[in-house]
Amino acid sequence: MSIGSSKAAWPFGGGELGQRIRDFDWTSTSLGPIGTWPANLRIKVNSLINSPIPQVLMWGPDHVMIYNDAYREIAGGYHPRALGGKVPEIWPEIWDWNRRILESGFKGEVQSFRDQPMVLHRNGRPEEIVFDLFYTPIYNDEGGVDGVLCTVLENTDRVRAVRALAESQAELSRITDALPILVGFLDVDHVYRFANKGYLEWFGHPANAVIGRHIREIIGEDYYRKRISYLERAFAGEPVITDTVIRRPGGDHRTAEVRYMPRLTDAGTVDGIYILMIDIEDRKRAEKELLASNNRFRAAVHAVHGVLWTNSADGRMIGQQPGWAELTGQPYEAYQDYGWADAVHPDDRQATVEAWNAAVADRRTFIWEHRVRRHDGVWRMFAIRGVPIFDEQDDITEWVGVHTDISEQRQAEDELRRHAVHLERQVRHRQRAEEQLRLLNETLEARVGEEIAVRRQAERALQQAQKMETIGKLTGGVAHDFNNLLQVVSGNLQLLAKDVAGNERAERRVANALAGVSRGAKLASQLLAFGRRQALEPKVINVGRFMSGMDDLLRRSIGEAIELETIVAGGLWNTFVDPVQVENAVLNLAINARDAMEGNGKLTIEVGNAYLDDDYVRNHAEVEAGQYVVLSVSDTGSGIAPEVLEQVFEPFFSTKAEGKGSGLGLSMVYGFVKQSGGHVKIYSEVGHGTTVKLYLPRATASEDREVTIQSGPVVGGTEMILVVEDDDEVRNTVVEMLSDLGYGVLKATNAQNALSVVESGFAIDLLFTDVVMPGPLKSVDMARKAKERLPDIAVLFTSGYTENSIVHGGRLDAGVELLSKPYTREALARKIRHVIANQKQRSAVNTRVAGTVPPGPATTALPAPIVTPAPAPAPLTVLVVEDDPLIRANTVELVENFGHAVIEAGNAQEAREKLAGASVDVLVTDLGLPDASGAELAAEALAINPALGIVFATGNDRAPDGSPPDAVLLRKPYDADGLEAAIKAAARRGPSA
């Protein structure tokens, strides 16, 4: 079979088949001697035998086969005779297939077949084999096809594995579909790779529509956002189990337990998570019902003064027994097993234990009475009832018992017995005694019934109070930014007013713009009150007069089609509330009424006096008995259904259509009234209308007057002021206003920078800082540190809203000075003089305490006639009114050292009370009091006592407008001599002079 030519070494390489081709006698085939083969055949054969891929070349019209080593496995038992053989002879079982393929191939068609199944007999038996087949025609130089090359890839194992996997997945689907749970598998891209039919029930998607889709497409974007944090935890390797409520395709909501279980690879990484969802709605309902049942049971036990306890099946007290511990005061270790018996009276102890053991042995209800030592050492008589709890096998699982205090009952019975003995001696009174006994029993039953009713009412009130304890802080930040913007506009308008002075038209426009700023400031103030971000400013007001002033505002708010009637009762009491909040409350109620009447009807506002008695309070535990001013708002609208009425004060609850209301109006009313110590009651009847009653506590003090803003020329100064403000526009405006007033100004953009300026050595008299400041160092902390470095520095805060750092209980902290944004140039100037003067006074006080003389005499600010002391004055009664505690305490001490009697007050209201109850010769008052001006207080005091001497202690260089002509002006800071001279000068007015 060898070919004896010089070309016998061809084809080159090729392994076993290369050698067989070289050794084969090709003259026996239509190909002829190997040395005579055409170039296209030689090229293709040489390429074929050196290819690692199974290939077979079928050449010529009789389809002679030439193949490579990789094809041997394909040929199987047909190798090696298949080499040089003809296709129909070698592969008769698939000749029908090959004939069609070769016919097309010799026509020049390129063909390919993926996962083509064939039945071969290559190993002496039929086998189903799966191939990928690629047929390529081999052309000659004239364009004809001399042969067809077939590249063969056997995929039998892969296809079988895929089929097995598919069958396994189908079986898994059948198994999981049979389970009453949702099952899925999610890969790291959040794409489903497996899902069972549970997805149809829970999300409305069949399993085949879930696989291959992203999870958000199946469960929805909103639910996906809620679950993403749990998914991330699971992909990080943490098993996650949560309960959630899901709205199913049918519209019903069901509670489900959702489990995310990570699947770990051999390398320890997570390549996906299993998702399991179990319907636990019925279990949750059962748990709620069980909890409600237990709560009802406990309430019933408490209602009859009972103590609940449990014992083990064999009669031993085991585990925590909070009721028993609270009753007896025994610690945990003391009452375990039979230790509870130590709290039983020694005379009753042995009999109790024996009776208890007998009941346990007989498996019967235990009924007994004995005395128990209470935690305070008092012996009380108790009725005991213990019941065994049986399981399905009729075995006792535990004992549940109740100790009921019957001491009063037994005492009453003892008393009745003694009384009966006495009645036996007096037969004539027997009938009367029986009647008394019957009445006593009825009274006892009535008391028990009343007690149960009271406790149930208290529980309902407690639940309602707890439900109403949350109101969100929604608008503070917005109002803060709004106030900053208003401050920039206001400050620049006031500076502009100086530039256009004399231009009447420009002055009018600036005035109009400033009026708009004032209205914006009022709006921001209402927003802050709504958000609970500003200190309340309660005043003693007459609500009747206040409502008269709101008439125009209410008519504009409700429209012309609604009739408005306001009724004010005679002899109306005053109340101590924030008038701005009252206005907001009435407006909210009026607008709600307008919407309920759909713009047509009658709104009635009534103001009167009311007394809430003990009977009313018993049914409304959140209110105290007493005198109230009641403000009622009634409409003729659609009314509110009873089931809705219980929810109207809840935050964000609204009966209006979406977008028509925030659901916060009544919540704000409720919060304001409660914060003011009042009570809210709502009455409504569907189809007839609604009445809301606000009960505001009565105030016995006289009505506060509006504080008149000090007028007159604005005074500046030469002190150095450090301005700390993060808003560039606000800061620049304030700096320009202060510079215009003559002050030296340093500035800083945040608290840390401000502290650096303080530490740099500058002599700073006043720190003027915003409350809300960016960065880790807060303004309050910065101010404290600045005071540590510069003890004599004055501090003035400003803000669009206050926060808990300087406000507690709705009031500014003691000693804190605040200028609310937006403020005017005049308000800024006066406030700075007031704060600097007070600080100088405090510094002078501290200097005197330290034993040194303050620089400069304080009396230089007084006119010459004032500082001249009167000879040998008689002792006087002096009322000192000052809101700064340190200044007030020092002034009081100085006046006492002068030999005078002193009465002190921290605000105008306290001063009025002191003036009404004592005879005062001289009033020494600060002008800047928190609830009124000192000038107003002086006017009221002179109306009571025209001979009263008046001393104004202030940082201003002149007395306020309208002051008494002989009032004495005492400039802060003042010393002892200046204070004494001022008091003597003021005392000349009185009869004691």
Side-chain angles (χ1 to χ4, degrees), residues 862-863 865-866 922-923 925 927 934-935 938-939 942 948-953 958-960 962-970 982-983 985-987 989:
L862 290 172
I866 296 177
V922 177
L923 169 66
T925 178
L927 283 178
L942 286 172
L948 182 68
I950 304 297
V951 177
F952 290 125
R958 61 176 60 85
S963 300
D966 46 2
V968 178
L969 181 68
L970 178 62
I983 292 175
R989 288 175 48 89

Side-chain angles (χ1 to χ4, degrees), residues 75-205:
Y78 295 148
H79 174 73
R81 70 182 181 88
L83 182 64
K86 298 175 182 178
V87 173
E89 297 173 356
I90 302 302
W91 297 104
E93 63 268 33
I94 57 172
W95 172 239
D96 289 341
W97 163 272
N98 280 328
R99 183 178 64 249
R100 293 191 303 270
I101 295 300
L102 291 172
E103 287 175 357
S104 299
F106 276 93
K107 291 177 182 179
E109 295 182 15
V110 178
Q111 304 167 83
S112 63
F113 303 91
R114 297 281 188 179
D115 292 335
Q116 177 63 44
M118 291 184 173
V119 177
L120 304 181
H121 299 170
R122 58 184 179 178
N123 293 316
R125 64 183 183 280
E127 298 178 75
E128 183 177 355
I129 311 298
V130 180
F131 295 112
D132 282 347
L133 301 170
F134 307 92
Y135 297 94
T136 306
I138 307 301
Y139 290 89
N140 56 32
D141 292 340
E142 288 76 26
V145 177
D146 290 338
V148 176
L149 175 66
C150 177
T151 301
V152 186
L153 298 176
E154 183 174 345
N155 295 334
T156 304
D157 293 340
R158 180 181 63 80
V159 170
R160 288 175 180 170
V162 170
R163 289 176 181 171
L165 178 61
E167 292 175 358
S168 174
Q169 289 180 335
E171 180 65 18
L172 179 60
S173 295
R174 288 191 291 270
I175 293 173
T176 57
D177 288 346
L179 299 175
I181 62 176
L182 176 147
V183 180
F185 181 77
L186 206 63
D187 67 14
V188 293
D189 296 322
H190 293 198
V191 174
Y192 281 105
R193 296 305 175 196
F194 178 80
N196 74 341
K197 69 176 184 181
Y199 280 86
L200 180 62
E201 177 184 358
W202 284 96
F203 299 105
H205 297 284

Side-chain angles (χ1 to χ4, degrees), residues 559-580:
E560 297 179 355
I562 295 179
E563 179 186 352
L564 174 64
E565 182 180 8
T566 302
I567 303 172
V568 180
L572 187 66
W573 295 328
N574 293 336
T575 182
F576 187 61
V577 291
D578 190 328
V580 174

